[in-house]
Amino acid sequence: MRRRKPRSDCSWRKTMSKDDDVNHGSAASSRVLSRRNFLKVSVTGAAIASAGGLSACMTGPMAAGKTTKALARYQNTPNRGRRCGGCTHFREPNGCEIVAGAISPNGWCRFHEPLPA
């Protein structure tokens, strides 16, 4: 009667040597990418990508510099009675803290904040 060699369900472990401990090597240096390292790399990449995306979307007063008229959706006419002349960001005679360029006191943009009453 012939004896069969038992098969291991975890054949991927055979490819790792004793020096390829998951806790001591990076995902790039080991021959086999473990699930733990894959998740670490994925979460780190997602966090970096989302941080970069959020900083690119900041066009309000928190961002450095001024926003273009197109990004602010600036228009030369009031919007439902709201106009730049009645906004906290408007600077006499035709400036704005947020929007770059000459601004009409009768204009409007999405950053409009009414003056306190």
Side-chain angles (χ1 to χ4, degrees):
M1 186 182 238
R2 255 174 153 190
R3 292 180 92 190
R4 289 181 134 178
K5 187 174 182 180
R7 290 176 54 181
S8 172
D9 290 337
C10 298
S11 61
W12 66 272
R13 290 185 183 177
K14 292 180 184 178
T15 62
M16 295 179 70
S17 67
K18 291 179 183 177
D19 296 331
D20 288 338
D21 187 1
V22 173
N23 295 325
H24 291 92
S26 67
S29 67
S30 66
R31 285 179 271 159
V32 177
L33 182 63
S34 70
R35 188 177 357 195
R36 178 177 290 165
N37 282 338
F38 174 76
L39 289 174
K40 282 181 187 177
V41 170
S42 299
V43 169
T44 302
I48 291 170
S50 65
L54 287 176
S55 66
C57 291
M58 285 184 58
T59 58
M62 306 261 313
K66 291 193 174 190
T67 303
T68 63
K69 289 181 179 182
L71 287 175
R73 288 184 262 162
Y74 174 79
Q75 60 189 34
N76 285 323
T77 57
N79 183 3
R80 291 185 235 161
R82 295 178 290 181
R83 58 186 194 86
C84 292
C87 177
T88 58
H89 303 296
F90 183 71
R91 297 293 171 246
E92 292 287 339
N94 61 350
C96 179
E97 293 177 341
I98 299 174
V99 181
I103 303 297
S104 169
N106 291 320
W108 176 88
C109 82
R110 68 182 181 135
F111 298 114
H112 181 270
E113 289 184 29
L115 289 169

